[in-house]
Amino acid sequence: MSPSSPRGTKISHIGIAVRALGESAPLFEQILGLAEVPLGDADGAKIRGFDASGSLIELLEAGNPDSPIGRFVAKRGPGIHHICFSVDDLEGTLAKCRASGLQLIDETPRVGAEGKRIAFIHPRSTGGILVELSEH
Amino acid sequence: MSPSSPRGTKISHIGIAVRALGESAPLFEQILGLAEVPLGDADGAKIRGFDASGSLIELLEAGNPDSPIGRFVAKRGPGIHHICFSVDDLEGTLAKCRASGLQLIDETPRVGAEGKRIAFIHPRSTGGILVELSEH
């Protein structure tokens, strides 16, 4: 495979906006038996991560009402907030997005919570889904 | 591992409610380069599936406004609708849910769209997330 092959695209994580970490974590930790992955807070959210065979479930609790997660929960209620795909070639994927007329939130990659290079696509361009791209 | 070990828990698929398949599919098909997996219609929804390294992205377009996806989109707008985990032992996982006081939509497994045994957990019990369980 060439470095720009998209064949390695996988779900890196799913970000779930929750009212309270303590309310939602037991399902993933105790019932589904997923191992916890330590994650730092980011973007005004307290985060707990659980590993589902290589894809992370990230539970996001708003640290304050004006944070992105706080605004999401106030507007739509708790629920799945975004999905992140890890790709082989982030710059190339962003170039394809631009060529297809998709609106990017991050025109160029920035460093995300886990130290990886990431970029978000605007939900306006994806039929309402907030999609994050990260580099392997 | 015993047959009831939860170590094999993985994301089976993510169901995404979209306004129109034609509007949302290009991101997954052309930009992310995911291979399509043929899926039949189910629960009043037209479905297209794309394989992300073993986890499916299922795009769900309402066939009519009174279908579950039609009602979801009318109420919340398009977005991620549910997440399905495949587990080694569905009955055992449902028993754990019951023991933890979680409310099940399906008290016993039923056969889902792909011919697998499935059951849904009520979002009331998961902090607002619609979770499906399926058996490997």
Side-chain angles (χ1 to χ4, degrees):
Chain A
M1 277 193 287
S2 74
S4 64
S5 165
R7 290 195 190 172
T9 299
K10 62 170 287 195
I11 298 170
S12 163
H13 66 261
I14 298 170
I16 302 178
V18 301
R19 275 188 294 261
L21 293 174
E23 180 184 34
S24 296
L27 168 64
F28 301 99
E29 188 169 32
Q30 287 149 30
I31 295 174
L32 294 177
L34 304 181
E36 181 151 11
V37 175
L39 294 175
D41 297 355
D43 292 333
K46 295 180 279 184
I47 307 178
R48 288 186 69 182
F50 298 95
D51 176 27
S53 300
S55 296
L56 276 191
I57 302 298
E58 292 189 3
L59 303 183
L60 312 162
E61 178 189 322
N64 66 75
D66 286 332
S67 62
I69 297 300
R71 291 196 301 268
F72 178 90
V73 171
K75 187 177 173 188
R76 298 186 44 143
I80 300 171
H81 177 260
H82 70 275
I83 175 170
C84 177
F85 293 94
S86 59
V87 298
D88 293 320
D89 174 15
L90 181 54
E91 300 281 5
T93 305
L94 293 177
K96 284 186 191 174
C97 288
R98 274 185 221 103
S100 299
L102 270 64
Q103 186 183 337
L104 300 173
I105 294 175
D106 302 295
E107 285 291 335
T108 54
R110 61 183 172 92
V111 176
E114 295 160 63
K116 292 179 183 170
R117 297 171 72 234
I118 64 158
F120 278 90
I121 306 173
H122 200 288
R124 196 177 296 150
S125 292
T126 62
I129 314 149
L130 180 57
V131 174
E132 178 181 356
L133 301 172
S134 77
E135 202 156 56
H136 284 315
Chain B
M1 277 194 290
S2 75
S4 64
S5 165
R7 291 195 189 170
T9 299
K10 60 170 289 196
I11 297 170
S12 163
H13 66 261
I14 298 170
I16 303 178
V18 301
R19 275 188 295 261
L21 293 174
E23 181 185 33
S24 296
L27 168 64
F28 301 98
E29 188 170 31
Q30 289 150 29
I31 295 174
L32 294 177
L34 305 181
E36 181 152 11
V37 176
L39 294 175
D41 297 355
D43 293 332
K46 295 180 279 184
I47 307 178
R48 288 186 70 182
F50 298 95
D51 176 26
S53 300
S55 296
L56 276 191
I57 302 298
E58 292 189 3
L59 303 182
L60 311 162
E61 178 189 320
N64 66 75
D66 287 333
S67 61
I69 297 301
R71 292 195 300 268
F72 179 90
V73 171
K75 187 176 173 189
R76 296 185 47 141
I80 300 171
H81 177 260
H82 69 275
I83 176 169
C84 177
F85 293 94
S86 59
V87 298
D88 293 320
D89 175 13
L90 182 55
E91 300 283 7
T93 306
L94 293 178
K96 284 185 191 173
C97 288
R98 273 186 220 103
S100 299
L102 270 63
Q103 185 183 338
L104 300 173
I105 293 176
D106 302 295
E107 285 292 335
T108 54
R110 61 183 173 92
V111 176
E114 295 161 62
K116 291 179 184 172
R117 296 170 75 233
I118 64 158
F120 278 90
I121 306 173
H122 200 289
R124 197 178 296 151
S125 292
T126 61
I129 314 149
L130 180 56
V131 173
E132 179 182 356
L133 302 172
S134 77
E135 203 156 57
H136 284 316

